[in-house]
Amino acid sequence: MAAQKINEAHEHIAKAEKYLKTSFMKWKPDYDSAASEYAKAAVAFKNAKQLDLAKDAYLKEAEAHTEHRALFHAAKALEQAGMMLKDMQRMPEAIQYIEKASMMYVENGTPDTAAMALDRAGKLIEPMDLEKAVNLYQQAASVFENEDRLRQAVELLGKASRLLVRQHRFDEAAVSLQKEKNMYKEIENYPTCFKKTIAQVLVQLHRNDFVAADKCVRESYSIPGFSGSEDCIAMEQLLQGFDEQDEDQVYRVCNSPLLKYMDNDYAKLAISLQVPGGGKKKKSPTTPSDAAGGTQGAEEEDEYEGGLC
């Protein structure tokens, strides 16, 4: 079966090459017919599990379509070449071809398809290269943003923000989250703006920038419904706890359901947050038995100095 498919593929390649030849009577290559034969050869190689040969055939198909100025079909063939490389576990090369395809989609005037291709590439590379995935999601978001497709753009930007947080690239995450919040405000999705404010505060506090965290909350007072909301009160309490170095209050807010059930990357920021300056949990009133424990109790407390959350 495999041998039959391989022979079939080679027959299609021979036909394609014949279409590309010129002669005294045929001045121009027939790129369209050649592309069709290369596509058939690629499928036959793929069915025969000859992925490297299938990839080469898809690339030749893309080349023929490009010569014929059929950019959409050329981009599709490049994507298929990328998928062959993905199946061969050659992911960086696969992503290169998908990125090239996305640029071709934009040139062809089909930006939506370009953005979706970049999103797919981001999902493929995310398990092995978070930095590249961030770049791909940001590219896809920019394509949608340029088309005034803010709902699609902000969803992809959200993926980038979460991955930036996961890598502890907090400076970049702060910028990305602000852009997200601005977009959600523009499309009047105010409840999501509240959640982005919480994420902003957590990121800014992990950057040790209390002033910036406070500013994020103050800016959000202008968002309809934020002032007095559960999200607003929680952030006011969190900032107050930080300002007063009150670990108990910070711990309660960070471990409340409101923060614990956020996206996992932000929930982790909440539970790992520490009060700076060596603030200690408030002590309960000392009892005679506690006093007898004396030095040992103090030593145990030192172990947690600096914050439990």
Side-chain angles (χ1 to χ4, degrees), residues 168-182:
H168 290 192
R169 292 160 62 186
F170 295 131
D171 290 354
E172 294 166 81
V175 173
S176 187
L177 280 164
Q178 184 62 53
K179 191 170 183 181
E180 269 192 84
K181 190 162 82 171
N182 291 343

Side-chain angles (χ1 to χ4, degrees), residues 134-148:
V134 166
N135 178 259
L136 290 163
Y137 291 141
Q138 288 173 334
Q139 283 185 61
S142 293
V143 172
F144 275 130
E145 189 181 0
N146 290 339
E147 295 298 306
D148 288 326

Side-chain angles (χ1 to χ4, degrees), residues 93-298:
E93 292 173 81
I95 299 305
Q96 283 177 5
Y97 282 119
I98 296 173
E99 282 188 279
K100 191 174 178 182
S102 74
M103 288 187 282
M104 208 169 268
Y105 285 132
V106 171
E107 190 181 344
N108 181 65
T110 46
D112 281 15
T113 314
M116 288 186 283
L118 290 166
D119 183 22
R120 281 194 295 274
K123 288 173 187 169
L124 289 175
I125 201 72
E126 191 176 312
M128 59 201 71
D129 189 344
L130 291 178
E131 187 173 350
K132 184 62 181 175
V134 166
N135 178 259
L136 290 163
Y137 291 141
Q138 288 173 334
Q139 283 185 61
S142 293
V143 172
F144 275 130
E145 189 181 0
N146 290 339
E147 295 298 306
D148 288 326
R149 300 280 296 278
L150 294 190
R151 281 180 173 80
Q152 289 84 353
V154 77
E155 185 180 330
L156 288 156
L157 204 56
K159 291 182 181 183
S161 298
R162 288 192 292 275
L163 294 189
L164 287 167
V165 165
R166 196 177 303 173
Q167 296 170 82
H168 290 192
R169 292 160 62 186
F170 295 131
D171 290 354
E172 294 166 81
V175 173
S176 187
L177 280 164
Q178 184 62 53
K179 191 170 183 181
E180 269 192 84
K181 190 162 82 171
N182 291 343
M183 281 191 188
Y184 277 118
K185 194 172 178 180
E186 194 168 338
I187 61 177
E188 299 183 352
N189 185 340
Y190 301 130
T192 306
C193 287
F194 304 170
K195 302 306 175 192
K196 295 304 165 186
T197 301
I198 294 176
Q200 281 184 304
V201 170
L202 292 171
V203 165
Q204 297 292 6
L205 291 178
H206 271 275
R207 291 179 67 242
N208 298 315
D209 194 339
F210 179 88
V211 173
D214 185 58
K215 184 182 176 185
C216 291
V217 175
R218 291 182 183 280
E219 283 178 346
S220 295
Y221 288 141
S222 65
I223 299 171
F226 180 74
S227 186
S229 67
E230 180 186 22
D231 309 76
C232 176
I233 292 166
M235 290 304 95
E236 289 172 341
Q237 290 174 345
L238 180 60
L239 291 172
Q240 181 188 33
F242 252 73
D243 193 37
E244 298 174 0
Q245 294 191 351
D246 183 346
E247 277 197 345
D248 282 323
Q249 185 157 315
V250 170
Y251 181 87
R252 278 196 303 274
V253 176
C254 287
N255 286 271
S256 66
L258 183 67
L259 271 67
K260 282 177 76 173
Y261 297 120
M262 291 181 73
D263 285 322
N264 198 39
D265 292 300
Y266 299 121
K268 285 180 179 178
L269 282 190
I271 61 174
S272 64
L273 201 57
Q274 294 186 342
V275 175
K280 296 181 182 178
K281 288 178 72 67
K282 291 179 180 176
K283 299 175 187 175
S284 55
T286 305
T287 62
S289 60
D290 290 334
T295 309
Q296 183 184 349

